[in-house]
Amino acid sequence: YQRRVHGAVYILYLTVRVSSLTVKALSGNLRIKIVRGKALKDMDAVGKSDPYCYVTYPGGPYRTPTIQGTSEPCWNYEFSCKVQLDWLRQYPVHSYKKLLLTVYDDDFGRDDIVGKGEIILNKLTMGEWQYLTVPLKPKGEVEIHALAENFGL
Protein backbone atom coordinates (compact mmCIF):
# COMPACT_ATOMS: atom_id res chain seq x y z
CA TYR A 1 0.00 0.00 0.00
CA GLN A 2 1.41 3.40 -0.93
CA ARG A 3 0.24 6.82 0.16
CA ARG A 4 1.44 10.25 -1.05
CA VAL A 5 1.59 13.03 1.51
CA HIS A 6 3.02 16.44 0.49
CA GLY A 7 5.12 14.97 -2.30
CA ALA A 8 6.69 12.23 -0.15
CA VAL A 9 5.96 8.55 -0.61
CA TYR A 10 5.18 6.50 2.47
CA ILE A 11 5.26 2.75 2.10
CA LEU A 12 3.34 0.74 4.63
CA TYR A 13 4.25 -2.89 5.23
CA LEU A 14 1.83 -5.45 6.50
CA THR A 15 3.37 -8.07 8.71
CA VAL A 16 1.46 -11.24 9.42
CA ARG A 17 2.63 -13.28 12.35
CA VAL A 18 1.64 -16.91 12.63
CA SER A 19 2.18 -18.00 16.19
CA SER A 20 1.70 -21.72 15.83
CA LEU A 21 0.30 -23.64 12.92
CA THR A 22 -0.22 -27.33 13.40
CA VAL A 23 -0.69 -29.47 10.33
CA LYS A 24 -2.54 -32.63 11.17
CA ALA A 25 -1.47 -35.82 9.42
CA LEU A 26 -4.20 -38.14 8.26
CA SER A 27 -3.74 -41.85 8.56
CA GLY A 28 -5.02 -44.72 6.52
CA ASN A 29 -4.22 -48.24 5.47
CA LEU A 30 -1.82 -49.55 2.90
CA ARG A 31 -2.70 -53.05 1.70
CA ILE A 32 0.07 -54.91 -0.08
CA LYS A 33 -0.05 -58.28 -1.81
CA ILE A 34 3.32 -59.69 -2.81
CA VAL A 35 2.20 -61.89 -5.69
CA ARG A 36 5.34 -63.45 -7.15
CA GLY A 37 8.95 -63.09 -8.19
CA LYS A 38 10.13 -63.35 -11.79
CA ALA A 39 13.55 -64.17 -13.26
CA LEU A 40 15.27 -64.05 -9.89
CA LYS A 41 19.00 -64.59 -9.70
CA ASP A 42 19.90 -68.24 -9.05
CA MET A 43 21.86 -68.40 -5.82
CA ASP A 44 22.33 -72.09 -5.04
CA ALA A 45 25.01 -74.34 -6.55
CA VAL A 46 22.34 -76.47 -8.25
CA GLY A 47 20.97 -73.42 -10.08
CA LYS A 48 17.83 -72.61 -8.10
CA SER A 49 17.07 -70.53 -5.02
CA ASP A 50 14.81 -70.83 -2.00
CA PRO A 51 13.46 -67.26 -2.12
CA TYR A 52 11.43 -65.21 0.30
CA CYS A 53 10.60 -61.50 0.21
CA TYR A 54 11.32 -59.29 3.22
CA VAL A 55 9.48 -55.94 3.33
CA THR A 56 10.85 -53.08 5.42
CA TYR A 57 8.30 -50.46 6.44
CA PRO A 58 7.29 -48.75 9.70
CA GLY A 59 5.04 -51.17 11.57
CA GLY A 60 6.84 -54.13 9.97
CA PRO A 61 8.89 -55.92 8.93
CA TYR A 62 6.85 -58.33 6.87
CA ARG A 63 8.12 -61.62 5.43
CA THR A 64 6.66 -63.98 2.87
CA PRO A 65 7.01 -67.74 3.25
CA THR A 66 10.06 -69.39 1.66
CA ILE A 67 9.36 -71.16 -1.64
CA GLN A 68 11.80 -74.04 -2.20
CA GLY A 69 13.87 -74.63 -5.36
CA THR A 70 12.71 -71.92 -7.78
CA SER A 71 13.64 -68.62 -9.39
CA GLU A 72 9.92 -67.92 -10.10
CA PRO A 73 8.26 -68.05 -6.63
CA CYS A 74 4.52 -67.56 -6.19
CA TRP A 75 4.00 -66.09 -2.70
CA ASN A 76 0.50 -64.53 -2.74
CA TYR A 77 1.30 -62.99 0.65
CA GLU A 78 -0.89 -60.09 1.79
CA PHE A 79 -0.48 -57.65 4.68
CA SER A 80 -1.80 -54.27 5.81
CA CYS A 81 -0.04 -51.43 7.59
CA LYS A 82 -0.85 -47.92 8.77
CA VAL A 83 0.31 -44.93 6.73
CA GLN A 84 0.34 -41.26 7.70
CA LEU A 85 -0.43 -38.75 4.99
CA ASP A 86 0.73 -35.13 4.94
CA TRP A 87 -2.56 -33.24 4.81
CA LEU A 88 -1.28 -30.28 2.77
CA ARG A 89 0.82 -32.14 0.24
CA GLN A 90 -1.19 -35.38 0.17
CA TYR A 91 1.77 -37.73 0.17
CA PRO A 92 3.17 -39.96 2.89
CA VAL A 93 5.16 -38.14 5.56
CA HIS A 94 8.97 -38.41 5.55
CA SER A 95 9.49 -41.75 7.29
CA TYR A 96 6.74 -43.40 5.26
CA LYS A 97 7.76 -42.53 1.69
CA LYS A 98 9.17 -45.89 0.56
CA LEU A 99 8.37 -49.54 0.95
CA LEU A 100 11.66 -51.44 0.66
CA LEU A 101 11.73 -54.99 -0.73
CA THR A 102 14.60 -57.41 -0.33
CA VAL A 103 14.45 -60.92 -1.77
CA TYR A 104 16.65 -63.44 0.05
CA ASP A 105 17.75 -66.99 -0.65
CA ASP A 106 16.88 -68.99 2.46
CA ASP A 107 20.04 -70.91 3.45
CA PHE A 108 21.36 -72.62 6.51
CA GLY A 109 23.22 -69.97 8.46
CA ARG A 110 23.26 -66.61 6.71
CA ASP A 111 20.69 -65.90 3.95
CA ASP A 112 22.03 -64.41 0.70
CA ILE A 113 20.50 -61.31 -0.91
CA VAL A 114 18.97 -62.13 -4.30
CA GLY A 115 17.87 -58.56 -5.11
CA LYS A 116 16.53 -55.27 -3.77
CA GLY A 117 13.79 -52.89 -4.93
CA GLU A 118 11.44 -50.21 -3.64
CA ILE A 119 7.98 -48.75 -4.09
CA ILE A 120 7.65 -44.96 -3.93
CA LEU A 121 4.34 -44.54 -2.11
CA ASN A 122 3.37 -41.09 -3.39
CA LYS A 123 3.01 -42.62 -6.86
CA LEU A 124 0.07 -44.74 -5.69
CA THR A 125 -3.46 -43.61 -6.55
CA MET A 126 -5.65 -43.60 -3.45
CA GLY A 127 -8.64 -45.89 -3.42
CA GLU A 128 -7.55 -47.95 -6.43
CA TRP A 129 -5.64 -51.21 -6.60
CA GLN A 130 -2.32 -50.65 -8.33
CA TYR A 131 -0.63 -53.53 -10.16
CA LEU A 132 3.10 -52.92 -10.00
CA THR A 133 6.21 -54.66 -11.21
CA VAL A 134 9.12 -53.73 -8.96
CA PRO A 135 12.54 -54.21 -10.60
CA LEU A 136 15.19 -55.78 -8.39
CA LYS A 137 18.88 -54.98 -8.49
CA PRO A 138 20.89 -56.78 -9.75
CA LYS A 139 18.32 -59.03 -11.49
CA GLY A 140 14.67 -60.01 -11.45
CA GLU A 141 11.41 -58.39 -10.42
CA VAL A 142 8.57 -58.75 -7.94
CA GLU A 143 4.89 -58.40 -8.85
CA ILE A 144 2.96 -56.40 -6.24
CA HIS A 145 -0.66 -55.31 -5.82
CA ALA A 146 -1.09 -52.20 -3.61
CA LEU A 147 -4.09 -50.28 -2.27
CA ALA A 148 -3.97 -47.05 -0.25
CA GLU A 149 -7.34 -46.56 1.47
CA ASN A 150 -9.32 -44.92 4.29
CA PHE A 151 -7.54 -41.57 4.36
CA GLY A 152 -10.77 -39.63 4.81
CA LEU A 153 -10.04 -37.32 1.88
Side-chain angles (χ1 to χ4, degrees):
Y1 176 80
Q2 292 184 2
R3 181 177 172 197
R4 285 187 181 269
V5 176
H6 302 289
V9 175
Y10 294 92
I11 300 175
L12 302 175
Y13 294 95
L14 177 63
T15 303
V16 177
R17 186 179 275 181
V18 178
S19 58
S20 67
L21 176 63
T22 303
V23 177
K24 185 176 181 181
L26 299 173
S27 64
N29 290 319
L30 178 63
R31 291 175 55 192
I32 298 290
K33 183 174 186 178
I34 302 172
V35 179
R36 63 185 176 149
K38 296 179 183 177
L40 300 179
K41 183 178 176 184
D42 292 327
M43 300 297 289
D44 290 342
V46 294
K48 297 291 180 186
S49 297
D50 304 319
Y52 66 89
C53 187
Y54 188 86
V55 180
T56 306
Y57 191 75
Y62 305 94
R63 184 190 189 279
T64 68
T66 298
I67 306 297
Q68 300 291 323
T70 185
S71 58
E72 304 275 333
C74 186
W75 291 300
N76 286 318
Y77 176 79
E78 190 170 337
F79 66 91
S80 295
C81 53
K82 293 286 184 195
V83 176
Q84 286 187 320
L85 186 75
D86 183 310
W87 182 71
L88 291 177
R89 295 176 190 87
Q90 295 188 6
Y91 62 79
V93 295
H94 179 69
S95 63
Y96 293 86
K97 288 184 180 179
K98 295 178 185 178
L99 188 109
L100 304 175
L101 306 171
T102 307
V103 175
Y104 289 93
D105 177 26
D106 196 350
D107 285 330
F108 295 108
R110 187 172 183 206
D111 295 346
D112 299 319
I113 295 175
V114 174
K116 291 184 175 187
E118 63 185 31
I119 298 172
I120 307 298
L121 296 179
N122 65 358
K123 292 184 179 181
L124 296 178
T125 302
M126 286 202 223
E128 295 179 19
W129 278 101
Q130 306 290 298
Y131 302 94
L132 310 169
T133 299
V134 180
L136 299 177
K137 291 183 182 178
K139 181 185 175 197
E141 58 191 32
V142 175
E143 184 181 318
I144 303 279
H145 299 173
L147 173 65
E149 61 183 351
N150 298 328
F151 284 92
L153 297 176

Short mmCIF file of all heavy atoms in Angstrom, two decimals, residues 9-69:
data_model
loop_
_atom_site.label_atom_id
_atom_site.label_comp_id
_atom_site.label_asym_id
_atom_site.label_seq_id
_atom_site.Cartn_x
_atom_site.Cartn_y
_atom_site.Cartn_z
N VAL A 9 6.60 9.86 -0.47
CA VAL A 9 5.96 8.55 -0.61
C VAL A 9 6.17 7.77 0.69
O VAL A 9 7.30 7.61 1.14
CB VAL A 9 6.55 7.76 -1.80
CG1 VAL A 9 5.95 6.36 -1.86
CG2 VAL A 9 6.29 8.50 -3.09
N TYR A 10 5.10 7.33 1.28
CA TYR A 10 5.18 6.50 2.47
C TYR A 10 4.78 5.08 2.06
O TYR A 10 3.75 4.88 1.41
CB TYR A 10 4.22 6.99 3.56
CG TYR A 10 4.58 8.34 4.10
CD1 TYR A 10 4.05 9.49 3.56
CD2 TYR A 10 5.48 8.43 5.16
CE1 TYR A 10 4.38 10.73 4.05
CE2 TYR A 10 5.83 9.67 5.66
CZ TYR A 10 5.29 10.82 5.10
OH TYR A 10 5.64 12.04 5.59
N ILE A 11 5.57 4.14 2.41
CA ILE A 11 5.26 2.75 2.10
C ILE A 11 4.93 2.04 3.41
O ILE A 11 5.71 2.08 4.36
CB ILE A 11 6.44 2.04 1.41
CG1 ILE A 11 6.76 2.76 0.09
CG2 ILE A 11 6.10 0.57 1.16
CD1 ILE A 11 7.97 2.23 -0.61
N LEU A 12 3.77 1.47 3.45
CA LEU A 12 3.34 0.74 4.63
C LEU A 12 3.52 -0.75 4.37
O LEU A 12 3.19 -1.25 3.30
CB LEU A 12 1.87 1.03 4.93
CG LEU A 12 1.51 2.50 5.14
CD1 LEU A 12 0.00 2.64 5.31
CD2 LEU A 12 2.24 3.05 6.36
N TYR A 13 4.05 -1.46 5.34
CA TYR A 13 4.25 -2.89 5.23
C TYR A 13 3.29 -3.60 6.17
O TYR A 13 3.09 -3.17 7.30
CB TYR A 13 5.68 -3.28 5.61
CG TYR A 13 6.70 -2.74 4.66
CD1 TYR A 13 7.36 -1.55 4.93
CD2 TYR A 13 7.01 -3.42 3.49
CE1 TYR A 13 8.30 -1.04 4.05
CE2 TYR A 13 7.95 -2.92 2.60
CZ TYR A 13 8.59 -1.73 2.89
OH TYR A 13 9.51 -1.23 2.02
N LEU A 14 2.72 -4.64 5.69
CA LEU A 14 1.83 -5.45 6.50
C LEU A 14 2.59 -6.70 6.91
O LEU A 14 3.09 -7.44 6.07
CB LEU A 14 0.58 -5.83 5.70
CG LEU A 14 -0.44 -6.73 6.38
CD1 LEU A 14 -1.02 -6.03 7.61
CD2 LEU A 14 -1.54 -7.11 5.41
N THR A 15 2.69 -6.89 8.20
CA THR A 15 3.37 -8.07 8.71
C THR A 15 2.34 -9.00 9.32
O THR A 15 1.55 -8.58 10.16
CB THR A 15 4.41 -7.70 9.79
OG1 THR A 15 5.33 -6.78 9.22
CG2 THR A 15 5.14 -8.93 10.31
N VAL A 16 2.36 -10.24 8.88
CA VAL A 16 1.46 -11.24 9.42
C VAL A 16 2.29 -12.20 10.24
O VAL A 16 3.29 -12.74 9.77
CB VAL A 16 0.72 -12.00 8.30
CG1 VAL A 16 -0.16 -13.09 8.89
CG2 VAL A 16 -0.08 -11.04 7.46
N ARG A 17 1.90 -12.38 11.46
CA ARG A 17 2.63 -13.28 12.35
C ARG A 17 1.78 -14.50 12.63
O ARG A 17 0.64 -14.38 13.06
CB ARG A 17 2.97 -12.55 13.64
CG ARG A 17 3.85 -13.34 14.55
CD ARG A 17 4.15 -12.57 15.79
NE ARG A 17 5.28 -11.70 15.52
CZ ARG A 17 5.81 -10.89 16.41
NH1 ARG A 17 5.28 -10.80 17.60
NH2 ARG A 17 6.84 -10.14 16.11
N VAL A 18 2.33 -15.65 12.33
CA VAL A 18 1.64 -16.91 12.63
C VAL A 18 2.32 -17.48 13.86
O VAL A 18 3.49 -17.83 13.83
CB VAL A 18 1.74 -17.90 11.44
CG1 VAL A 18 1.06 -19.20 11.79
CG2 VAL A 18 1.13 -17.28 10.19
N SER A 19 1.57 -17.55 14.94
CA SER A 19 2.18 -18.00 16.19
C SER A 19 2.46 -19.49 16.19
O SER A 19 3.56 -19.93 16.47
CB SER A 19 1.31 -17.62 17.38
OG SER A 19 0.03 -18.20 17.23
N SER A 20 1.46 -20.28 15.90
CA SER A 20 1.70 -21.72 15.83
C SER A 20 0.67 -22.34 14.90
O SER A 20 -0.52 -22.17 15.10
CB SER A 20 1.64 -22.37 17.22
OG SER A 20 0.34 -22.30 17.72
N LEU A 21 1.16 -22.98 13.90
CA LEU A 21 0.30 -23.64 12.92
C LEU A 21 0.60 -25.13 13.00
O LEU A 21 1.73 -25.55 12.81
CB LEU A 21 0.60 -23.11 11.51
CG LEU A 21 -0.17 -23.76 10.37
CD1 LEU A 21 -1.66 -23.51 10.51
CD2 LEU A 21 0.32 -23.23 9.04
N THR A 22 -0.39 -25.89 13.30
CA THR A 22 -0.22 -27.33 13.40
C THR A 22 -0.90 -27.98 12.20
O THR A 22 -2.07 -27.73 11.93
CB THR A 22 -0.85 -27.88 14.70
OG1 THR A 22 -0.25 -27.21 15.79
CG2 THR A 22 -0.64 -29.38 14.81
N VAL A 23 -0.15 -28.75 11.46
CA VAL A 23 -0.69 -29.47 10.33
C VAL A 23 -0.94 -30.90 10.79
O VAL A 23 -0.03 -31.59 11.22
CB VAL A 23 0.28 -29.46 9.13
CG1 VAL A 23 -0.28 -30.29 7.99
CG2 VAL A 23 0.53 -28.03 8.69
N LYS A 24 -2.17 -31.31 10.71
CA LYS A 24 -2.54 -32.63 11.17
C LYS A 24 -2.32 -33.66 10.06
O LYS A 24 -2.72 -33.44 8.92
CB LYS A 24 -4.00 -32.64 11.60
CG LYS A 24 -4.45 -33.93 12.22
CD LYS A 24 -5.87 -33.83 12.70
CE LYS A 24 -6.30 -35.13 13.33
NZ LYS A 24 -7.69 -35.07 13.79
N ALA A 25 -1.68 -34.74 10.39
CA ALA A 25 -1.47 -35.82 9.42
C ALA A 25 -2.65 -36.78 9.48
O ALA A 25 -3.10 -37.14 10.56
CB ALA A 25 -0.17 -36.55 9.71
N LEU A 26 -3.15 -37.15 8.34
CA LEU A 26 -4.20 -38.14 8.26
C LEU A 26 -3.56 -39.52 8.21
O LEU A 26 -2.43 -39.67 7.78
CB LEU A 26 -5.03 -37.94 6.99
CG LEU A 26 -5.75 -36.60 6.86
CD1 LEU A 26 -6.38 -36.49 5.47
CD2 LEU A 26 -6.81 -36.46 7.92
N SER A 27 -4.29 -40.51 8.66
CA SER A 27 -3.74 -41.85 8.56
C SER A 27 -4.73 -42.73 7.81
O SER A 27 -5.92 -42.46 7.75
CB SER A 27 -3.44 -42.43 9.95
OG SER A 27 -4.63 -42.57 10.68
N GLY A 28 -4.21 -43.77 7.26
CA GLY A 28 -5.02 -44.72 6.52
C GLY A 28 -4.32 -46.05 6.46
O GLY A 28 -3.35 -46.29 7.18
N ASN A 29 -4.80 -46.91 5.61
CA ASN A 29 -4.22 -48.24 5.47
C ASN A 29 -3.55 -48.40 4.11
O ASN A 29 -4.03 -47.87 3.11
CB ASN A 29 -5.31 -49.32 5.58
CG ASN A 29 -5.85 -49.43 6.97
OD1 ASN A 29 -5.12 -49.36 7.94
ND2 ASN A 29 -7.15 -49.58 7.08
N LEU A 30 -2.49 -49.14 4.12
CA LEU A 30 -1.82 -49.55 2.90
C LEU A 30 -1.91 -51.07 2.87
O LEU A 30 -1.42 -51.74 3.77
CB LEU A 30 -0.37 -49.10 2.90
CG LEU A 30 0.46 -49.49 1.68
CD1 LEU A 30 -0.11 -48.84 0.43
CD2 LEU A 30 1.90 -49.09 1.88
N ARG A 31 -2.59 -51.60 1.86
CA ARG A 31 -2.70 -53.05 1.70
C ARG A 31 -1.76 -53.46 0.58
O ARG A 31 -1.78 -52.89 -0.50
CB ARG A 31 -4.14 -53.45 1.36
CG ARG A 31 -5.08 -53.23 2.54
CD ARG A 31 -6.52 -53.50 2.21
NE ARG A 31 -6.72 -54.84 1.67
CZ ARG A 31 -7.85 -55.22 1.09
NH1 ARG A 31 -8.86 -54.39 0.95
NH2 ARG A 31 -7.96 -56.44 0.62
N ILE A 32 -0.93 -54.43 0.87
CA ILE A 32 0.07 -54.91 -0.08
C ILE A 32 -0.10 -56.42 -0.26
O ILE A 32 -0.23 -57.15 0.71
CB ILE A 32 1.51 -54.64 0.42
CG1 ILE A 32 1.74 -53.14 0.59
CG2 ILE A 32 2.54 -55.27 -0.49
CD1 ILE A 32 1.82 -52.37 -0.70
N LYS A 33 -0.10 -56.85 -1.51
CA LYS A 33 -0.05 -58.28 -1.81
C LYS A 33 1.20 -58.52 -2.63
O LYS A 33 1.34 -57.97 -3.73
CB LYS A 33 -1.29 -58.72 -2.58
CG LYS A 33 -1.30 -60.22 -2.84
CD LYS A 33 -2.60 -60.66 -3.48
CE LYS A 33 -2.65 -62.17 -3.59
NZ LYS A 33 -3.92 -62.62 -4.16
N ILE A 34 2.10 -59.30 -2.09
CA ILE A 34 3.32 -59.69 -2.81
C ILE A 34 2.95 -60.95 -3.58
O ILE A 34 2.81 -62.01 -2.99
CB ILE A 34 4.49 -59.90 -1.86
CG1 ILE A 34 4.73 -58.63 -1.07
CG2 ILE A 34 5.74 -60.32 -2.63
CD1 ILE A 34 5.73 -58.76 0.03
N VAL A 35 2.75 -60.81 -4.87
CA VAL A 35 2.20 -61.89 -5.69
C VAL A 35 3.27 -62.92 -6.03
O VAL A 35 3.14 -64.09 -5.69
CB VAL A 35 1.54 -61.33 -6.96
CG1 VAL A 35 0.98 -62.46 -7.82
CG2 VAL A 35 0.45 -60.34 -6.59
N ARG A 36 4.32 -62.48 -6.72
CA ARG A 36 5.34 -63.45 -7.15
C ARG A 36 6.62 -62.75 -7.56
O ARG A 36 6.65 -61.56 -7.81
CB ARG A 36 4.82 -64.30 -8.30
CG ARG A 36 4.51 -63.50 -9.55
CD ARG A 36 3.89 -64.40 -10.60
NE ARG A 36 3.51 -63.61 -11.76
CZ ARG A 36 3.50 -64.07 -12.97
NH1 ARG A 36 3.85 -65.32 -13.20
NH2 ARG A 36 3.14 -63.31 -13.98
N GLY A 37 7.67 -63.56 -7.67
CA GLY A 37 8.95 -63.09 -8.19
C GLY A 37 9.14 -63.66 -9.59
O GLY A 37 8.63 -64.74 -9.91
N LYS A 38 9.88 -62.91 -10.41
CA LYS A 38 10.13 -63.35 -11.79
C LYS A 38 11.62 -63.21 -12.10
O LYS A 38 12.24 -62.21 -11.73
CB LYS A 38 9.36 -62.50 -12.79
CG LYS A 38 7.87 -62.59 -12.71
CD LYS A 38 7.27 -61.67 -13.76
CE LYS A 38 5.76 -61.64 -13.70
NZ LYS A 38 5.21 -60.69 -14.67
N ALA A 39 12.16 -64.20 -12.77
CA ALA A 39 13.55 -64.17 -13.26
C ALA A 39 14.54 -63.79 -12.17
O ALA A 39 15.46 -63.00 -12.40
CB ALA A 39 13.67 -63.23 -14.46
N LEU A 40 14.35 -64.36 -10.99
CA LEU A 40 15.27 -64.05 -9.89
C LEU A 40 16.64 -64.69 -10.13
O LEU A 40 16.74 -65.73 -10.79
CB LEU A 40 14.70 -64.55 -8.55
CG LEU A 40 13.35 -63.98 -8.13
CD1 LEU A 40 12.90 -64.60 -6.81
CD2 LEU A 40 13.40 -62.47 -8.03
N LYS A 41 17.63 -64.07 -9.58
CA LYS A 41 19.00 -64.59 -9.70
C LYS A 41 19.11 -65.93 -8.98
O LYS A 41 18.66 -66.07 -7.84
CB LYS A 41 19.96 -63.57 -9.09
CG LYS A 41 21.40 -63.93 -9.19
CD LYS A 41 22.25 -62.81 -8.58
CE LYS A 41 23.71 -63.20 -8.57
NZ LYS A 41 24.52 -62.18 -7.91
N ASP A 42 19.68 -66.93 -9.66
CA ASP A 42 19.90 -68.24 -9.05
C ASP A 42 21.07 -68.15 -8.08
O ASP A 42 22.16 -67.72 -8.46
CB ASP A 42 20.18 -69.30 -10.11
CG ASP A 42 18.97 -69.58 -10.98
OD1 ASP A 42 17.84 -69.49 -10.46
OD2 ASP A 42 19.14 -69.87 -12.18
N MET A 43 20.84 -68.56 -6.85
CA MET A 43 21.86 -68.40 -5.82
C MET A 43 22.50 -69.70 -5.36
O MET A 43 23.60 -69.71 -4.87
CB MET A 43 21.24 -67.69 -4.60
CG MET A 43 20.69 -66.31 -4.90
SD MET A 43 21.92 -65.13 -5.45
CE MET A 43 22.82 -64.86 -3.95
N ASP A 44 21.80 -70.82 -5.52
CA ASP A 44 22.33 -72.09 -5.04
C ASP A 44 23.21 -72.76 -6.10
O ASP A 44 23.10 -72.49 -7.29
CB ASP A 44 21.18 -73.03 -4.66
CG ASP A 44 20.45 -72.56 -3.41
OD1 ASP A 44 21.02 -71.74 -2.66
OD2 ASP A 44 19.32 -73.02 -3.18
N ALA A 45 24.06 -73.65 -5.67
CA ALA A 45 25.01 -74.34 -6.55
C ALA A 45 24.28 -75.17 -7.61
O ALA A 45 24.78 -75.34 -8.72
CB ALA A 45 25.94 -75.22 -5.74
N VAL A 46 23.09 -75.66 -7.29
CA VAL A 46 22.34 -76.47 -8.25
C VAL A 46 21.51 -75.63 -9.21
O VAL A 46 20.77 -76.16 -10.03
CB VAL A 46 21.42 -77.49 -7.51
CG1 VAL A 46 22.25 -78.50 -6.76
CG2 VAL A 46 20.44 -76.77 -6.61
N GLY A 47 21.61 -74.30 -9.12
CA GLY A 47 20.97 -73.42 -10.08
C GLY A 47 19.63 -72.85 -9.69
O GLY A 47 19.05 -72.10 -10.45
N LYS A 48 19.11 -73.18 -8.55
CA LYS A 48 17.83 -72.61 -8.10
C LYS A 48 18.04 -71.94 -6.74
O LYS A 48 19.07 -72.08 -6.10
CB LYS A 48 16.76 -73.70 -7.98
CG LYS A 48 16.42 -74.37 -9.28
CD LYS A 48 15.71 -73.45 -10.22
CE LYS A 48 15.38 -74.15 -11.54
NZ LYS A 48 14.83 -73.28 -12.52
N SER A 49 17.02 -71.20 -6.32
CA SER A 49 17.07 -70.53 -5.02
C SER A 49 15.89 -70.98 -4.18
O SER A 49 14.96 -71.62 -4.68
CB SER A 49 17.01 -69.01 -5.20
OG SER A 49 18.13 -68.54 -5.91
N ASP A 50 15.92 -70.62 -2.92
CA ASP A 50 14.81 -70.83 -2.00
C ASP A 50 14.38 -69.44 -1.53
O ASP A 50 14.67 -69.03 -0.40
CB ASP A 50 15.24 -71.70 -0.81
CG ASP A 50 15.81 -73.03 -1.26
OD1 ASP A 50 15.24 -73.63 -2.20
OD2 ASP A 50 16.82 -73.47 -0.69
N PRO A 51 13.68 -68.67 -2.40
CA PRO A 51 13.46 -67.26 -2.12
C PRO A 51 12.31 -66.95 -1.17
O PRO A 51 11.31 -67.67 -1.10
CB PRO A 51 13.16 -66.69 -3.51
CG PRO A 51 12.60 -67.82 -4.27
CD PRO A 51 13.24 -69.06 -3.72
N TYR A 52 12.50 -65.85 -0.45
CA TYR A 52 11.43 -65.21 0.30
C TYR A 52 11.63 -63.71 0.16
O TYR A 52 12.73 -63.23 -0.13
CB TYR A 52 11.40 -65.65 1.76
CG TYR A 52 12.57 -65.24 2.61
CD1 TYR A 52 12.58 -64.03 3.30
CD2 TYR A 52 13.68 -66.07 2.75
CE1 TYR A 52 13.66 -63.66 4.10
CE2 TYR A 52 14.75 -65.72 3.55
CZ TYR A 52 14.73 -64.52 4.23
OH TYR A 52 15.80 -64.15 5.01
N CYS A 53 10.55 -62.96 0.34
CA CYS A 53 10.60 -61.50 0.21
C CYS A 53 10.42 -60.88 1.59
O CYS A 53 9.48 -61.23 2.33
CB CYS A 53 9.52 -61.01 -0.74
SG CYS A 53 9.63 -59.25 -1.13
N TYR A 54 11.31 -59.98 1.92
CA TYR A 54 11.32 -59.29 3.22
C TYR A 54 10.99 -57.83 2.94
O TYR A 54 11.66 -57.18 2.14
CB TYR A 54 12.70 -59.44 3.83
CG TYR A 54 12.84 -58.95 5.24
CD1 TYR A 54 12.53 -59.77 6.32
CD2 TYR A 54 13.32 -57.67 5.51
CE1 TYR A 54 12.68 -59.34 7.61
CE2 TYR A 54 13.49 -57.23 6.81
CZ TYR A 54 13.16 -58.06 7.86
OH TYR A 54 13.31 -57.62 9.14
N VAL A 55 9.93 -57.30 3.57
CA VAL A 55 9.48 -55.94 3.33
C VAL A 55 9.78 -55.09 4.55
O VAL A 55 9.36 -55.42 5.67
CB VAL A 55 7.97 -55.91 3.02
CG1 VAL A 55 7.49 -54.49 2.78
CG2 VAL A 55 7.65 -56.80 1.84
N THR A 56 10.51 -54.00 4.34
CA THR A 56 10.85 -53.08 5.42
C THR A 56 9.95 -51.86 5.30
O THR A 56 9.94 -51.19 4.26
CB THR A 56 12.33 -52.64 5.33
OG1 THR A 56 13.14 -53.81 5.29
CG2 THR A 56 12.72 -51.79 6.50
N TYR A 57 9.21 -51.60 6.38
CA TYR A 57 8.30 -50.46 6.44
C TYR A 57 7.94 -50.24 7.90
O TYR A 57 7.86 -51.20 8.66
CB TYR A 57 7.04 -50.77 5.61
CG TYR A 57 6.17 -49.57 5.40
CD1 TYR A 57 6.53 -48.58 4.50
CD2 TYR A 57 5.01 -49.39 6.14
CE1 TYR A 57 5.75 -47.46 4.32
CE2 TYR A 57 4.22 -48.27 5.96
CZ TYR A 57 4.60 -47.31 5.06
OH TYR A 57 3.83 -46.20 4.88
N PRO A 58 7.71 -48.98 8.32
CA PRO A 58 7.29 -48.75 9.70
C PRO A 58 6.07 -49.60 10.05
O PRO A 58 5.14 -49.70 9.26
CB PRO A 58 6.97 -47.26 9.73
CG PRO A 58 7.85 -46.68 8.69
CD PRO A 58 7.90 -47.72 7.59
N GLY A 59 6.11 -50.25 11.19
CA GLY A 59 5.04 -51.17 11.57
C GLY A 59 5.37 -52.60 11.20
O GLY A 59 4.69 -53.52 11.62
N GLY A 60 6.42 -52.81 10.42
CA GLY A 60 6.84 -54.13 9.97
C GLY A 60 7.99 -54.61 10.80
O GLY A 60 8.14 -54.19 11.92
N PRO A 61 8.80 -55.47 10.32
CA PRO A 61 8.89 -55.92 8.93
C PRO A 61 7.88 -57.02 8.63
O PRO A 61 7.26 -57.58 9.53
CB PRO A 61 10.32 -56.46 8.84
CG PRO A 61 10.61 -56.96 10.21
CD PRO A 61 9.88 -56.02 11.14
N TYR A 62 7.74 -57.29 7.34
CA TYR A 62 6.85 -58.33 6.87
C TYR A 62 7.67 -59.30 6.03
O TYR A 62 8.59 -58.90 5.33
CB TYR A 62 5.73 -57.71 6.02
CG TYR A 62 4.99 -56.63 6.77
CD1 TYR A 62 5.36 -55.30 6.64
CD2 TYR A 62 3.94 -56.95 7.61
CE1 TYR A 62 4.70 -54.30 7.35
CE2 TYR A 62 3.27 -55.96 8.32
CZ TYR A 62 3.66 -54.64 8.18
OH TYR A 62 3.00 -53.66 8.88
N ARG A 63 7.33 -60.60 6.11
CA ARG A 63 8.12 -61.62 5.43
C ARG A 63 7.20 -62.65 4.82
O ARG A 63 6.32 -63.18 5.48
CB ARG A 63 9.05 -62.29 6.44
CG ARG A 63 9.99 -63.32 5.84
CD ARG A 63 10.69 -64.08 6.97
NE ARG A 63 11.75 -64.94 6.54
CZ ARG A 63 11.60 -66.16 6.03
NH1 ARG A 63 10.39 -66.67 5.86
NH2 ARG A 63 12.65 -66.88 5.68
N THR A 64 7.42 -62.93 3.53
CA THR A 64 6.66 -63.98 2.87
C THR A 64 7.20 -65.34 3.31
O THR A 64 8.30 -65.44 3.83
CB THR A 64 6.80 -63.89 1.33
OG1 THR A 64 8.14 -64.20 0.97
CG2 THR A 64 6.41 -62.53 0.81
N PRO A 65 6.46 -66.40 3.04
CA PRO A 65 7.01 -67.74 3.25
C PRO A 65 8.14 -68.01 2.24
O PRO A 65 8.20 -67.40 1.18
CB PRO A 65 5.84 -68.68 2.98
CG PRO A 65 4.62 -67.84 2.93
CD PRO A 65 5.06 -66.44 2.63
N THR A 66 9.00 -68.94 2.58
CA THR A 66 10.06 -69.39 1.66
C THR A 66 9.45 -70.38 0.67
O THR A 66 8.70 -71.27 1.06
CB THR A 66 11.19 -70.07 2.44
OG1 THR A 66 11.76 -69.11 3.33
CG2 THR A 66 12.26 -70.62 1.52
N ILE A 67 9.78 -70.21 -0.60
CA ILE A 67 9.36 -71.16 -1.64
C ILE A 67 10.62 -71.90 -2.09
O ILE A 67 11.59 -71.30 -2.53
CB ILE A 67 8.70 -70.45 -2.85
CG1 ILE A 67 7.55 -69.56 -2.39
CG2 ILE A 67 8.24 -71.47 -3.88
CD1 ILE A 67 6.39 -70.27 -1.74
N GLN A 68 10.61 -73.21 -1.96
CA GLN A 68 11.80 -74.04 -2.20
C GLN A 68 12.08 -74.27 -3.69
O GLN A 68 11.17 -74.51 -4.48
CB GLN A 68 11.63 -75.40 -1.51
CG GLN A 68 11.43 -75.33 -0.01
CD GLN A 68 12.67 -74.88 0.72
OE1 GLN A 68 13.79 -75.21 0.36
NE2 GLN A 68 12.47 -74.09 1.77
N GLY A 69 13.36 -74.18 -4.07
CA GLY A 69 13.87 -74.63 -5.36
C GLY A 69 13.32 -73.95 -6.60
O GLY A 69 12.98 -74.64 -7.56
#
